[in-house]
């Protein structure tokens, strides 16, 4: 029974700590994206799932919520994937003109196969320019594993702003609703350019990089604040010549201590990608299992230990995400820098290969860290 209770406690505290920190991380991406005018369709605690609790914001159009798979979180920023199909402009104008179209109509209109038709519609849906239409008469529903048969227009005001765009106002004369046809008063190419300006790829290099940096930065800033406040309010207990002694630094001293600690964590994380130090770093690393056990133990000890552990994990999460390894934020920043230098986007194939290499590396890290946790916490 004791083992069961300890396991449940570890699972609870591990999920709570990691979920909160991932939520903070994704919140950084969300706020930065909104500041730069990027459309954000979803902001969720938990991994994508058809089962969800959510509410759509009238101000942002973003669907905020949680899923039962509390192993992370995500922010769906529009237009983070490449486009490149020369039919996109005409396809968008076609949907606007019709109001709602099915895939067979798209195939017929552009004399293309089904795969390309779906590619056009899914790319425009990813931009937040149109949306999938789930027909209950066909047994379709949001969250299904495949795309539906039809797509439709979004509600737009007289300036073509959607619910995801800043300053939209559907009360203005000339506004149209979801699924309503509407002729555009500009060329298809101009309309596509206007839509692209509301996406990640439509922004310039600096806003894109700052949006990628925002998640890790918020984790690090949060950790520094937690450490500084915890030390200045509660102090730090240590043993000096056999006596129990509590150190109460002032807030500025606590901040300096927090920055010193951040520098140490950054050095530790960066050592992971130095071949001569990789295994040394991994031998002292923990996986989700170890973090959960430590969170449970810290919670049992008291709020001070728990706060410092949360700060430690948040700081590690922030600096780890800055490593130049796709698909981490640092890896995406690396791709942005490469594209800036060569003056053109990297092909989808090259980016996919880079991501696979990065994923393989992190699977290796997870296996080694999990072994460490088993040896440390299970086998003792």
């Amino acid at each position: 029974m004791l083992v069961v209770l300890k396991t449940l406690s570890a699972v609870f505290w591990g999920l709570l700590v990691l979920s909160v920190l991932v939520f903070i991380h994704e919140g950084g991406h969300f706020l930065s994206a909104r500041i730069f005018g990027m459309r954000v369709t979803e902001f969720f605690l938990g991994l994508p799932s058809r089962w969800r609790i959510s509410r759509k914001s009238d101000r942002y159009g973003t669907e905020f919520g949680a899923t039962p798979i509390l192993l992370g979180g995500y922010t769906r920023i529009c237009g983070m994937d490449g486009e490149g199909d020369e039919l996109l402009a005409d396809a968008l104008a076609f949907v606007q003109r019709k109001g709602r179209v099915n895939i067979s109509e798209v195939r017929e209109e552009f004399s293309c196969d089904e795969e390309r038709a779906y590619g056009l519609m899914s790319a425009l849906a990813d931009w937040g320019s149109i949306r999938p239409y789930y027909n209950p008469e066909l047994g379709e529903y949001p969250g299904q594993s495949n795309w539906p048969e039809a797509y439709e227009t979004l509600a737009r005001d007289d300036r073509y702003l959607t619910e995801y765009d800043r300053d939209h106002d559907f009360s203005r004369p000339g506004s149209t609703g979801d699924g309503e046809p509407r002729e555009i008063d500009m060329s298809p190419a101009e309309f596509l350019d206007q839509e692209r300006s509301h996406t990640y790829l439509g922004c310039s290099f600096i806003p894109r990089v700052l949006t990628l940096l925002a998640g890790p930065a918020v984790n690090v800033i949060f950790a520094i604040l937690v450490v500084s406040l915890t030390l200045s309010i509660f102090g730090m207990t240590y043993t000096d010549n056999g006596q129990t002694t509590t150190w109460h630094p002032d807030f500025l001293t606590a901040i300096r201590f927090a920055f010193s600690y951040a520098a140490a964590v950054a050095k530790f994380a960066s050592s992971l990608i130095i071949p001569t130090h990789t295994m040394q770093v991994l031998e002292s690393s923990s996986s989700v299992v170890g973090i959960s056990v430590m969170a449970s133990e810290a919670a049992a000890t008291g709020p001070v230990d728990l706060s410092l552990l949360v700060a430690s994990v948040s700081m590690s999460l922030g600096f780890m995400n800055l490593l130049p390894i796709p698909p981490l934020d640092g890896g995406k920043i690396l791709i942005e820098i490469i594209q800036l230098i060569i003056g053109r986007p990297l092909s989808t194939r090259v980016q996919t290969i880079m991501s696979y290499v990065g994923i393989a590396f992190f699977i290796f890290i997870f296996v080694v860290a999990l072994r460490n946790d088993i040896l440390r916490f299970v086998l003792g």
Side-chain angles (χ1 to χ4, degrees), residues 224 228-229 232 247 249-260:
I224 289 174
S228 302
L229 289 172
S232 60
W247 174 51
D250 59 69
F251 188 65
L252 291 179
T253 301
I255 289 179
R256 287 196 292 269
F257 177 86
F259 271 99
S260 297

Side-chain angles (χ1 to χ4, degrees), residues 256-294:
R256 287 196 292 269
F257 177 86
F259 271 99
S260 297
Y261 178 63
V265 174
K267 182 179 179 180
F268 179 84
S270 62
S271 297
L272 190 62
I273 58 174
I274 302 175
T276 55
H277 293 80
T278 300
M279 290 309 301
Q280 179 183 350
V281 172
L282 288 180
E283 289 300 327
S284 57
S285 299
S286 286
S287 70
V288 174
V289 174
I291 292 173
S292 299
V293 173
M294 288 185 287

Side-chain angles (χ1 to χ4, degrees), residues 188-250:
E190 290 173 331
F191 187 38
L192 186 72
D193 286 341
Q194 179 173 304
E195 289 297 287
R196 192 175 189 274
S197 68
H198 298 295
T199 69
Y200 172 85
L201 288 174
C203 292
S204 61
F205 171 79
I206 291 179
R208 292 203 302 266
V209 169
L210 289 179
T211 298
L212 294 173
L213 279 172
V218 168
N219 276 128
V220 174
I221 292 170
F222 171 77
I224 289 174
L225 288 175
V226 170
V227 171
S228 302
L229 289 172
T230 300
L231 292 182
S232 60
I233 295 173
F234 299 102
M236 175 182 288
T237 301
Y238 64 97
T239 301
D240 183 19
N241 295 325
Q243 301 295 321
T244 301
T245 301
T246 301
W247 174 51
H248 282 278
D250 59 69

Side-chain angles (χ1 to χ4, degrees), residues 52-64:
R52 54 176 64 185
I53 300 173
S54 64
R55 180 183 179 277
K56 178 170 283 193
S57 166
D58 293 333
R59 182 178 180 183
Y60 303 115
T62 307
E63 186 178 1
F64 294 91

Side-chain angles (χ1 to χ4, degrees), residues 75-108:
T75 303
R76 201 176 297 281
I77 301 174
C78 291
M80 291 200 73
D81 296 322
E83 68 271 18
D85 195 310
E86 66 273 12
L87 292 178
L88 273 179
D90 291 332
L92 177 58
F94 177 62
V95 178
Q96 283 297 131
R97 188 169 64 251
K98 299 281 288 186
R100 181 180 298 155
V101 300
N102 57 46
I103 290 299
S104 61
E105 290 177 307
V106 176
R107 291 178 57 190
E108 182 179 350

